[in-house]
Amino acid sequence: MAYRIDGRLPRLVYAQASPHSRGGTSLFDAGTITAANARDFQSEDSVLQEAERGLIDAGFTVLSRARATLNIAAPPEVYERYFETTLVTIEREVIEPGAVDLRRTRTFLDTAKADLPGFISTRGLPAGVFLEGVALEQPATTLRGVGPVPKLSYWHLTTDMVAEYLGARAVHERGITGRGVRLTMVDTGWEEHPYFTDRGQRGTVIAGPGTFDPEIDEDGHGTSESANAFAVAPGIDFTMVKSLDVNLLGSFTTAALQEPRPQIISMSLEYHRKTLPLSAIDQVLSVAVSLAVADGIVVVCAGGNGHYAFPAQHPDVIAVGGVHRTKGGELRASDYASAFTSALYPHRSVPDVCGLVGMRPGGTYILLPTPRGSTVDQELARDPYPIGDDTTPGDGWAVLSGTSASAPQVAGVCALLLEAADSVLSPSEVRRLLAESALPVDRGRSNRDTGGLSAHEGATGAGLVRADEAVRLLLSQQGGQGSQPVVRPT
């Protein structure tokens, strides 16, 4: 039920304004948008400039400019006055951060008479001269698990074990580490934890629209999950775009439009979308993802922890699920990770492939660094294992997983492939190599919140990614080098 309570409207509202598309059809009226037609929904520079001037004159702050949209922010009353509308709040149940027992509600914004969820129409308004509509941002979810640290009395993985069990260590021994491959994550931020500096691993942080203090990761999620990418591909040229959960799309477009352009974008923040219609912001995100893939960027997204994650469902994205490896080496589908057939796109199943993920109730599985005193560091200390963290708040470590861990693991494998290739690999070629070389998993079931699929029903997609097999397959197809060692100069 929609309702208006002045005190609950945020001080600042983020949105994506869409200038008229050069193809003549509004992206809000389009059907499925993929890399094949995404360029039709770009806007001409002159139209973007006119829209930017008009919005600034109306009192909006233009945070960033993408090829199809302008990321804007303003107090609620500016939206209501300029677009002659009324903003309302809607409470929706979300799974946060990912387990069935952690459901709660969050406040979404909409308009009182929206034809499309989260949509502001410009029809009949002065703004309609240059805008085809506005998409209100919605809260995104960080797909983390919950769990303990250092003095651990239970089975867990270290990042070295992640590299070993995904076959990455064998690739490193051949001199392939992802060196120089530009991998960008969109997450809560990144700090130079001693874990990284001790290994000579460095990164650059870009403040996404609306964020501050790029040297600080207040939440800790981004710092923790980046260790999964470095474990698999320690040589990457790493960038973190720090994102607000209420302005996710602004951060994704910032990542996609970096110069030089990233080769891989890994994202473990997501929207939850089970059924049609797509909301206005989902449709804009479809354009952004499709344009990135059309530019040759490999986009890797977490498939969800009981969520119907979006944009993981998008057909151009590599959607990542979870496989659990036991202490005895048995592989089974993680009952913490999502698996489902998308209702948004015909014949689209999630996941495509899997990384390593823990089991319910909290996905407590991989020992990872986190900024001391961050939200992750503090919250995981509240409860005993397996719900919480048996360690002291502020120690700078956490044990967690979820598909937010497996997505950067798979992104790391993509980096190894891009370095090993003797020519440019397209996103579709990378996806094919991952799937054809994955290790099938025939046991276990996925998260029951998305149907509890068995392994035979697609719980793990093509299976667990294997970096060594993927690189071997690539080299054999590029010239029969699969059985020969490849040593890169240091």
Side-chain angles (χ1 to χ4, degrees):
M1 178 178 179
Y3 52 89
R4 170 71 184 269
I5 302 177
D6 289 339
R8 300 190 70 168
L9 288 172
R11 181 183 61 83
L12 207 59
V13 174
Y14 295 93
Q16 296 283 337
S18 178
H20 289 292
S21 299
R22 68 183 184 189
T25 299
S26 167
L27 67 86
F28 300 111
D29 295 327
T32 299
I33 300 172
T34 67
N37 65 348
R39 299 194 193 283
D40 291 340
F41 302 100
Q42 294 183 183
S43 302
E44 300 293 350
D45 285 343
S46 60
V47 178
L48 281 164
Q49 292 167 7
E50 181 184 6
E52 185 169 4
R53 288 193 299 268
L55 288 165
I56 291 172
D57 290 345
F60 292 90
T61 298
V62 177
L63 300 171
S64 64
R65 181 198 291 188
R67 287 170 289 179
T69 56
L70 298 169
N71 189 192
I72 61 174
E77 57 268 22
V78 176
Y79 286 84
E80 294 183 325
R81 180 182 66 250
Y82 187 60
F83 295 117
E84 299 180 13
T85 190
T86 300
L87 296 182
V88 297
T89 58
I90 300 174
E91 294 300 303
R92 295 176 182 160
E93 185 180 75
V94 298
I95 306 172
E96 178 78 24
V100 64
D101 296 330
L102 296 176
R103 292 178 182 272
R104 64 185 179 90
T105 61
R106 293 195 68 179
T107 303
F108 289 67
L109 294 181
D110 211 332
T111 58
K113 297 180 179 180
D115 298 326
L116 185 69
F119 179 61
I120 297 177
S121 173
T122 57
R123 189 171 301 161
L125 300 177
V129 173
F130 49 80
L131 291 182
E132 58 193 20
V134 176
L136 293 167
E137 262 288 5
Q138 63 187 40
T141 299
T142 56
L143 297 177
R144 67 171 181 262
V146 182
V149 339
K151 293 182 180 179
L152 305 173
S153 59
Y154 51 88
W155 169 244
H156 68 282
L157 304 184
T158 65
T159 52
D160 287 340
M161 294 162 75
V162 168
E164 175 70 23
Y165 296 156
L166 295 181
R169 182 174 295 174
V171 179
H172 302 166
E173 292 172 354
R174 302 177 72 169
I176 303 170
T177 63
R179 185 175 55 189
V181 176
R182 297 183 298 280
L183 191 156
T184 295
M185 285 184 67
V186 178
D187 215 301
T188 63
W190 190 78
E191 289 189 26
E192 287 192 349
H193 191 284
Y195 169 91
F196 301 111
T197 55
D198 289 350
R199 290 162 176 76
Q201 296 166 348
R202 288 175 171 75
T204 299
V205 182
I206 297 173
T211 66
F212 303 94
D213 299 324
E215 70 280 2
I216 298 174
D217 178 10
E218 298 90 346
D219 183 272
H221 183 265
T223 300
S224 296
E225 301 305 0
S226 72
N228 288 282
F230 278 114
V232 175
I236 50 175
D237 180 352
F238 178 77
T239 299
M240 172 67 73
V241 176
K242 183 176 181 179
S243 178
L244 294 176
D245 67 352
V246 292
N247 197 23
L248 172 60
L249 182 49
S251 297
F252 181 86
T253 54
T254 297
L257 295 178
Q258 293 173 78
E259 289 296 342
R261 204 62 60 80
Q263 294 164 273
I264 304 164
I265 294 177
S266 177
M267 191 159 69
S268 295
L269 304 177
E270 57 89 41
Y271 300 138
H272 176 72
R273 184 66 58 207
K274 183 176 181 179
T275 59
L276 290 169
L278 290 176
S279 70
I281 202 68
D282 293 333
Q283 193 73 338
V284 180
L285 183 53
S286 295
V287 174
V289 167
S290 297
L291 286 171
V293 173
D295 285 341
I297 300 173
V298 178
V299 179
V300 181
C301 292
N305 307 331
H307 312 79
Y308 289 83
F310 187 84
Q313 297 179 59
H314 193 282
D316 290 332
V317 164
I318 296 174
V320 183
V323 166
H324 184 73
R325 189 185 193 277
T326 68
K327 185 175 182 179
E330 178 189 5
L331 299 177
R332 61 188 304 109
S334 166
D335 64 359
Y336 193 75
S338 296
F340 55 92
T341 298
S342 173
L344 311 182
Y345 301 98
H347 314 299
R348 175 60 167 142
S349 295
V350 173
D352 293 304
V353 292
C354 291
L356 293 164
V357 173
M359 301 289 279
R360 294 171 71 98
T364 310
Y365 195 39
I366 308 173
L367 178 62
L368 298 169
T370 195
R372 295 186 65 176
S374 66
T375 300
V376 167
D377 195 16
Q378 298 289 328
E379 286 187 350
L380 302 187
R382 292 179 180 175
D383 299 301
Y385 174 78
I387 299 300
D389 185 333
D390 288 334
T391 190
T392 305
D395 64 0
W397 293 94
V399 178
L400 57 153
S401 66
T403 55
S404 60
S406 58
Q409 292 167 17
V410 171
V413 178
C414 295
L416 299 179
L417 286 170
L418 293 180
E419 184 197 352
D422 61 12
S423 60
V424 175
L425 289 177
S426 69
S428 61
E429 289 172 322
V430 172
R431 180 204 297 267
R432 177 185 61 79
L433 288 165
L434 293 176
E436 291 182 2
S437 61
L439 179 63
V441 176
D442 60 6
R443 297 184 180 183
R445 287 185 175 273
S446 61
N447 196 308
R448 62 175 178 254
D449 283 358
T450 53
L453 300 183
S454 70
H456 297 291
E457 294 171 316
T460 60
L464 181 66
V465 291
R466 289 289 306 185
D468 49 355
E469 294 300 327
V471 169
R472 184 177 295 114
L473 177 62
L474 167 70
L475 297 179
S476 67
Q477 293 180 352
Q478 289 192 334
Q481 304 175 57
S483 61
Q484 301 299 318
V486 177
V487 179
R488 305 284 179 180
T490 57

